[in-house]
Amino acid sequence: MDRDSALRKAQKLMAVAMDGRGNENEAERALAQAESLMRKFGLEDSEVKGVAAEKDFDWGNSFAPYGIPRQPAKSTPSWYGVVAMGVARFTDTIVKQHYNQEKGYGVGFYGEASDVLFAQWLVTYLRDTVWREAKKYGGNRAENGDFRHAMASRLQARMYALRAERDVAFRDATNSAGVKGTALMIISDKLVKRDAEFGVQKAKPVKRQFRDMAAMGAGHAAGERVGFNRPVGQTTNDRRIAA
C-alpha cells in the first residue's frame, strides 16, 4: 500500500469513526485503524480529518429590512451595519447590503438555512433594542447618534467574543468516538463551502469620532446590558458591510 492509498483508506475509516451514527465499538475500531495508518505512513491530521468533516448543507438567504412595515427605510445607518456584521460572525453567515422595493433598505444574510433564520431574527431583535434604548436616552440628534453607534460597537464586540468562545469549546469537545475537535472541523468545512457558494464576506473599517463622551458611555453600558469586554474608546475601528 502506497501513501495515497493509505490516505484514502484512513479518510474512510476516520469518517466512520466521526460519523456518530453507527455502533460505538465499530467507531473505536475504525479510529484505531485510521491512527495506525497515520503513524505508519506519516499522515497529518488535517489530511485525514479534513475530508471526514465534510457534509452537505442546506443553503439559504433572508432579508432583514432596517425599516418597519409601511415605513420602508431610505438608507441604513452605519450603526446597523456594525450590528449586522456582529450578527453574521456570531451566526456563521455572510451579510450584504440589500434593497427591497417594498421593504426598503436593509441587509441580507446568506449561509446554512437555519443559521440564516437565526441571523434574521437576531439582527431585528437587536435593531429594536437599540431603538428602544436610544429613545430612553434621548438627547439631540448628534448625541443620540453617538449613543447608537457606541451601543452597536459593544454589541458587535460581544458577539465576536462569544463566537471565539464557542470555537474554543468546539475545538476542545470530543465526539462519541473520542475524536477531539470534530465539531469545529464541521463548522470550518461549512464556512469554506459557504464562501464557495456565496463569496467571502466583504467589510471595511468604520472609524467614528465620538463627540459626546456621556452618550458614548451610556451607549456602551446599554450594549453591555444586552448580554452579548472590549472598552469603547474615543474612536473605534469597527467593521461594517462593504457597499
Side-chain angles (χ1 to χ4, degrees):
M1 181 183 297
D2 58 18
R3 191 179 189 280
D4 289 341
S5 297
L7 175 59
R8 289 192 294 271
K9 185 173 181 179
Q11 288 171 341
K12 292 179 181 179
L13 289 167
M14 190 62 72
V16 172
M18 297 172 64
D19 185 79
R21 293 178 296 181
N23 180 276
E24 186 173 343
N25 292 330
E26 180 183 353
E28 291 178 354
R29 289 195 300 271
L31 177 61
Q33 293 174 32
E35 290 178 338
S36 177
L37 286 171
M38 291 169 68
R39 289 192 297 271
K40 182 176 180 179
F41 290 91
L43 304 175
E44 300 291 335
D45 280 1
S46 59
E47 295 179 280
V48 176
K49 295 179 181 178
V51 171
E54 292 182 359
K55 68 182 294 292
D56 292 328
F57 298 97
D58 181 18
W59 303 119
N61 62 83
S62 186
F63 178 67
Y66 176 68
I68 58 177
R70 296 183 298 278
Q71 295 183 33
K74 296 181 180 179
S75 64
T76 54
S78 61
W79 70 260
Y80 185 63
V82 170
V83 171
M85 278 295 297
V87 168
R89 176 74 67 86
F90 185 56
T91 59
D92 296 329
T93 59
I94 289 173
V95 62
K96 303 177 183 180
Q97 292 181 354
H98 272 300
Y99 172 76
N100 179 281
Q101 190 170 0
E102 294 182 0
K103 299 180 179 180
Y105 284 90
V107 295
F109 291 98
Y110 298 80
E112 202 277 328
S114 60
D115 293 338
V116 164
L117 290 176
F118 180 36
Q120 181 190 35
W121 173 84
L122 183 57
V123 77
T124 302
Y125 166 74
L126 294 177
R127 178 204 66 184
D128 293 348
T129 302
V130 173
W131 281 351
R132 182 175 63 251
E133 293 298 319
K135 184 177 181 179
K136 287 164 55 179
Y137 180 75
N140 60 36
R141 184 174 181 178
E143 293 166 347
N144 201 267
D146 279 350
F147 177 94
R148 293 184 185 211
H149 201 101
M151 185 173 178
S153 297
R154 191 66 200 130
L155 289 170
Q156 185 189 83
R158 298 195 75 154
M159 285 186 281
Y160 278 25
L162 284 170
R163 162 67 188 277
E165 291 174 9
R166 183 209 70 180
D167 286 353
V168 170
F170 281 13
R171 183 196 65 201
D172 294 340
T174 57
N175 69 359
S176 60
V179 180
K180 187 176 181 179
T182 306
L184 184 58
M185 289 167 56
I186 293 174
I187 292 294
S188 298
D189 178 55
K190 176 178 69 174
L191 299 184
V192 170
K193 291 183 176 180
R194 179 204 67 187
D195 291 352
E197 183 77 15
F198 301 110
V200 298
Q201 178 70 67
K202 295 182 180 180
K204 59 183 179 181
V206 179
K207 186 174 182 180
R208 182 177 180 89
Q209 184 72 37
F210 289 96
R211 298 180 179 181
D212 189 286
M213 302 304 290
M216 184 197 74
H220 176 277
E224 190 72 20
R225 289 194 299 270
V226 174
F228 271 175
N229 252 305
R230 184 184 66 184
V232 177
Q234 187 170 353
T235 61
T236 63
N237 286 286
D238 306 304
R239 303 189 74 79
R240 67 177 177 85
I241 314 159

